[in-house]
Amino acid sequence: MSFIEIREKVKKAFYGKPIVWPALVKAKSYFYKANYWYYYNSVFGKSNVSLRELNIEFNSTCNLRCKFCSLDFDKPREYMPAELLQKILDEVLNDPRFANVQQLNLYNGGETLLHPKRLEMFAVIGEAKKKALASGKKFPKVLLLTNGMLLREKLAKQILETGALDVIQFSLDGGTPEKFEDLRVNAKWQPFYENVKALQRLTREMNSPVQLKSITIVENEFPLNIEWMHEQFKEIIGLMSHYELRRLHDWGGEVTLEGNQKKIVTKTGCMLLMHQMVLLPNGDVTVCCNDLNSKGVIGNLNNQSLFDVYSSAERREYLDKLNSGRKHELELCKNCESF
C-alpha cells in the first residue's frame, strides 16, 4: 500500500475524531522532522526526492464561484501547452530521483476540463503511461479532480478511451441538492448527478479500471456522516470506491469563514510542502495546493529542470523555516491551519 493510500485511509477513519485526530496532527510535526533530516541532511536520502505527488494544473480558471474558494477569479486565463506536460512526464519517468512520486494530481485552482485541448493533454499522459509500462517502468497513479459540470457522457467516454486516468474524483459538497448549489455557485445539481451516474455506467460497460472518488465539504452544523444527507447524495456517494468528508478550511488564511473561531496553532513542519509541488500552466512551480494564487512560486519549468526547482534555495527556505518553527516568517504559511 502506498503512502498516499495509507494517508487516505487514516484520514477517512479518524478525521475530526476527538483525541485521535489532534494526536495525529501533532505527530505530523515529528514525521516532518524525520523526513527533513533524511531527505535534506543525511547522505542516505539525497538520492531521492521527498515528493510523493505532483499537482499539474492544465488551466488556471474555473467555471464555478464556490463560496469557500480563495481563487482569484480575475487572474489571467492560462493553459498548459502539451510540450510542457511532456517535459514534466519525461523528467518524472527518466530521472531516478523521482522514483518516490506515487501520484500525479490533475488539479489546482482551475477546472482541468476547461482546457481547450484537454483530450490532447490526456492523450499525452496515456501514451507516456503505455510506453513506461511496456518498458517495465512504474508510472504514477493519475487522478483527475473535477467539479463534474463539463463531464458529459460523450467527453467522459473520450477521456476513458485515452487510458490516462486511474482515478476521477468529484467535488461533492453540501449534502443536499440545495446546499450543493448554494455552496458551489454556478453548479447545478441535476446535470452533475446525471454526469456522475453516466460515468459510472460507462466505466462498467467499458470494463474500465478507473476508480471514482469524492470529497464532500460538510458545514459545521451538520455531522461528519452521510446518514442525514439527501437520498440522491447518498446514491452518488454509494457509487464511489472511496469518499472523504471534511470541514471547510481557510486556504492558508486567504478566506474568512463565517463563525470560525479556530485558533492558529503554531507547529513544526508541513507535510504538504514536504511531499508535493504544484506545476502551473505557465511553467511556474509553487510549494503547495493551498496556494491557488501563485504567492509561493519557487521556480519556472521553462528555464529550469524539475529537480532544479525541487532543490532550489527558494523551496529550501520554506522547508528550513518550517523545520525550525519559524512559520510566522513565511507570508504564504503564517496564517495557514492546513488540514
Side-chain angles (χ1 to χ4, degrees):
M1 187 181 296
S2 71
F3 166 82
I4 292 173
E5 289 169 333
I6 293 170
R7 182 185 66 189
E8 189 176 72
K9 289 181 182 297
V10 168
K11 199 168 183 181
K12 183 174 182 180
F14 299 112
Y15 178 82
K17 298 291 176 64
I19 303 175
V20 178
W21 186 248
L24 288 171
V25 170
K26 186 174 182 179
K28 287 197 292 186
S29 294
Y30 301 105
F31 189 37
Y32 178 93
K33 279 192 167 293
N35 274 253
Y36 179 85
W37 174 83
Y38 182 77
Y39 288 105
Y40 298 95
N41 289 314
S42 80
V43 295
F44 309 106
K46 290 186 178 180
S47 60
N48 289 294
V49 300
S50 65
L51 304 176
R52 295 295 180 271
E53 54 192 338
L54 293 170
N55 287 20
I56 304 175
E57 184 178 66
F58 283 12
N59 156 67
S60 63
T61 59
C62 190
N63 51 333
L64 303 188
R65 297 292 183 266
C66 298
K67 289 183 174 179
F68 49 82
C69 185
S70 70
L71 183 66
D72 177 3
F73 298 115
D74 294 322
K75 67 192 294 188
R77 175 172 294 176
E78 295 179 298
Y79 302 121
M80 179 175 284
E83 295 78 12
L84 179 56
L85 176 61
Q86 186 66 63
K87 176 187 176 181
I88 293 165
L89 296 175
D90 287 345
E91 291 196 46
V92 171
L93 293 173
N94 297 323
D95 187 336
R97 293 172 295 191
F98 287 95
N100 285 340
V101 174
Q102 300 169 355
Q103 189 157 294
L104 304 178
N105 299 314
L106 305 184
Y107 65 86
N108 191 46
E111 168 56 44
T112 300
L113 298 182
L114 283 173
H115 194 295
K117 296 183 178 179
R118 56 205 174 189
L119 290 175
E120 178 184 334
M121 299 290 278
F122 289 127
V124 169
I125 297 173
E127 188 61 28
K129 179 188 289 188
K130 189 186 304 181
K131 288 181 179 178
L133 297 178
S135 63
K137 292 181 180 179
K138 291 193 299 183
F139 196 90
K141 183 178 288 187
V142 182
L143 180 149
L144 167 68
L145 176 63
T146 176
N147 60 46
M149 296 310 301
L150 301 175
L151 196 60
R152 291 177 280 273
E153 185 169 346
K154 179 182 177 181
L155 177 59
K157 185 174 186 293
Q158 291 172 322
I159 292 173
L160 292 177
E161 287 172 342
T162 68
L165 303 180
D166 299 289
V167 180
I168 298 177
Q169 188 169 54
F170 294 98
S171 298
L172 176 63
D173 300 324
T176 69
E178 294 76 20
K179 280 287 184 186
F180 177 86
E181 294 184 358
D182 177 60
L183 289 171
R184 305 187 65 76
V185 178
N186 293 342
K188 299 299 178 186
W189 172 256
Q190 197 58 34
F192 173 86
Y193 172 76
E194 292 170 1
N195 287 350
V196 176
K197 290 190 68 176
L199 174 63
Q200 194 274 338
R201 175 176 52 77
L202 280 172
T203 59
R204 189 176 63 250
E205 292 174 353
M206 297 171 65
N207 197 27
S208 169
V210 171
Q211 293 180 298
L212 306 187
K213 299 184 179 183
S214 65
I215 297 175
T216 298
I217 295 293
V218 178
E219 294 178 292
N220 289 337
E221 62 262 37
F222 299 101
L224 281 171
N225 60 55
I226 67 171
E227 280 73 21
W228 59 274
M229 293 184 182
H230 188 276
E231 288 305 313
Q232 287 188 341
F233 249 79
K234 290 193 277 189
E235 179 188 0
I236 293 298
I237 288 176
L239 300 178
M240 304 293 145
S241 62
H242 173 87
Y243 70 90
E244 179 183 332
L245 308 179
R246 65 166 66 154
R247 297 299 187 191
L248 291 164
H249 67 94
D250 70 349
W251 293 103
E254 291 290 301
V255 173
T256 300
L257 302 178
E258 186 177 344
N260 184 34
Q261 302 300 319
K262 186 175 179 180
K263 294 181 180 180
I264 303 297
V265 178
T266 301
K267 66 181 191 305
T268 302
C270 173
M271 298 315 296
L272 289 178
L273 269 76
M274 179 62 67
H275 286 156
Q276 73 172 212
M277 294 195 306
V278 181
L279 318 181
L280 302 176
N282 65 351
D284 281 347
V285 180
T286 184
V287 289
C288 95
C289 59
N290 268 342
D291 180 22
L292 299 189
N293 298 310
S294 306
K295 295 183 177 181
V297 172
I298 52 173
N300 187 286
L301 295 176
N302 289 311
N303 47 50
Q304 293 172 276
S305 72
L306 193 58
F307 187 78
D308 285 344
V309 177
Y310 165 83
S311 56
S312 66
E314 290 83 359
R315 181 170 180 272
R316 187 63 186 261
E317 180 184 4
Y318 278 90
L319 295 168
D320 291 349
K321 287 183 176 179
L322 288 167
N323 186 62
S324 57
R326 295 155 62 201
K327 170 182 166 183
H328 61 281
E329 296 180 20
L330 297 167
E331 189 64 29
L332 177 66
C333 306
K334 65 182 182 181
N335 294 320
C336 184
E337 296 177 0
S338 192
F339 62 96

